[in-house]
Amino acid sequence: MANDLRLLGYIYKMNFLSHFYFDRQTSDANIVLGTVLPDLLKNANKSWNPHPQKHSELFENETGLNSLLTGWKRHLEVDLIFHSSAFFNDKMQQLKQLLLPILKESVVRPSFLAHIGVELLLDHLLIEHQKININAFYDRLEEANAKDLNNFLTKAEIDDTEHFFKFFGSFKSSRYLLSYQKIENISYALQRICMRIWEHPFSEKTTTELTSVLEFYKKQLEVDFMVIFEETENRLT
């Protein structure tokens, strides 16, 4: 498991909507952007690993930068609560058991795939049960202050802000998260994530089987999926 968690630090993290859920009613667009900024940066360049929360004094005197930092800290807090919860780990183990038979011939680690699989299924269920609005999420990102973002990244010692803004523009314009409305697109996203680590993670047959497993497991997860969001929200400071 330790190796799997280290791997998670070097791949695309795509559960943006679960993070948005906790600030879906926030009117400050910079806060909303801050809540997903750690994962956006990792998507843009997997080697970037800033820790602005350790240097709060650099950001707190400017309102826009402080809002981004507030969102950033919220992201870290949500991740800590979310991934340490008994609910998440129980669901991950359940999905892992379903994945074991179809990954016998694959280099992909079942616990690794189960971790990301549960995250993306939770995003999918938030959409399906209309707990969040995807377009509202993108609207908030569009409203965030670009000058504040550039200053924040510079102070966080991101060495190529131009590259990040190019990635961020593509992320917003593609509205890729709309694809999470279909389970087969969750399988595709998982495959793309694994391809960042393993050259040939799945065969075509395994990808098809993965979709079937996710469709089956979604029905189990759907029964009480809001528990983790309610528990996390209650624990947030």
Side-chain angles (χ1 to χ4, degrees):
M1 175 60 80
N3 287 336
D4 293 335
L5 292 176
R6 278 197 292 271
L7 283 174
L8 286 167
Y10 292 94
I11 60 161
Y12 286 115
K13 295 298 296 297
M14 294 183 166
N15 61 328
F16 296 106
L17 300 178
S18 290
H19 280 284
F20 175 58
Y21 174 82
F22 299 104
D23 284 281
R24 64 197 182 281
Q25 296 176 335
T26 301
S27 60
D28 189 328
N30 278 16
I31 289 179
V32 173
L33 173 56
T35 65
V36 294
L37 189 55
D39 289 344
L40 286 171
L41 285 168
K42 189 62 71 175
N43 273 265
N45 185 328
K46 64 182 181 181
S47 70
W48 285 341
N49 191 31
H51 298 284
Q53 75 280 4
K54 295 182 179 180
H55 304 283
S56 297
E57 70 281 359
L58 298 177
F59 308 93
E60 291 177 338
N61 292 330
E62 297 181 48
T63 301
L65 302 192
N66 189 54
S67 291
L68 286 165
L69 182 64
T70 298
W72 183 285
K73 289 179 176 178
R74 174 61 67 93
H75 175 103
L76 300 180
E77 187 180 12
V78 167
D79 264 1
L80 182 62
I81 298 170
F82 215 78
H83 295 140
S84 64
S85 73
F87 180 97
F88 184 84
N89 286 286
D90 287 347
K91 299 303 182 184
M92 191 177 74
Q93 289 303 317
Q94 291 169 13
L95 181 55
K96 176 185 172 181
Q97 294 307 309
L98 295 173
L99 292 171
L100 284 170
I102 72 169
L103 294 177
K104 287 181 178 179
E105 306 300 323
S106 173
V107 295
V108 176
R109 296 173 183 170
S111 56
F112 173 81
L113 191 62
H115 182 113
I116 310 166
V118 170
E119 288 186 341
L120 298 195
L121 282 174
L122 288 170
D123 270 17
H124 169 79
L125 288 168
L126 285 176
I127 299 166
E128 191 165 90
H129 287 262
Q130 300 181 340
K131 300 296 183 181
I132 52 94
N133 182 305
I134 307 174
N135 286 315
F137 169 70
Y138 281 110
D139 289 346
R140 285 290 181 275
L141 296 188
E142 292 287 0
E143 293 164 6
N145 188 291
K147 182 179 178 181
D148 288 339
L149 177 57
N150 188 68
N151 289 342
F152 184 92
L153 295 176
T154 300
K155 289 178 181 289
E157 298 185 346
I158 296 301
D159 57 10
D160 191 350
T161 58
E162 183 177 349
H163 171 74
F164 176 79
F165 274 95
K166 183 177 180 180
F167 164 80
F168 187 41
S170 296
F171 177 84
K172 291 185 292 183
S173 63
S174 71
R175 302 218 161 192
Y176 176 78
L177 299 181
L178 289 167
S179 71
Y180 282 12
Q181 295 173 91
K182 296 183 178 180
I183 287 289
E184 57 266 32
N185 291 331
I186 301 293
S187 297
Y188 175 77
L190 290 169
Q191 183 184 42
R192 296 297 298 176
I193 288 169
C194 290
M195 286 174 67
R196 286 177 58 85
I197 303 168
W198 299 284
E199 188 175 355
H200 301 293
F202 302 139
S203 66
E204 185 175 340
K205 178 175 178 288
T206 302
T207 304
T208 301
E209 291 173 337
L210 176 59
T211 300
S212 297
V213 167
L214 294 177
E215 287 176 338
F216 173 81
Y217 188 62
K218 168 196 165 180
K219 294 175 184 177
Q220 298 182 37
L221 184 60
E222 191 169 21
V223 174
D224 59 353
F225 81 98
M226 282 304 297
V227 167
I228 191 168
F229 294 99
E230 292 163 359
E231 289 181 349
T232 301
E233 200 156 35
N234 288 336
R235 290 178 60 188
L236 287 171
T237 57

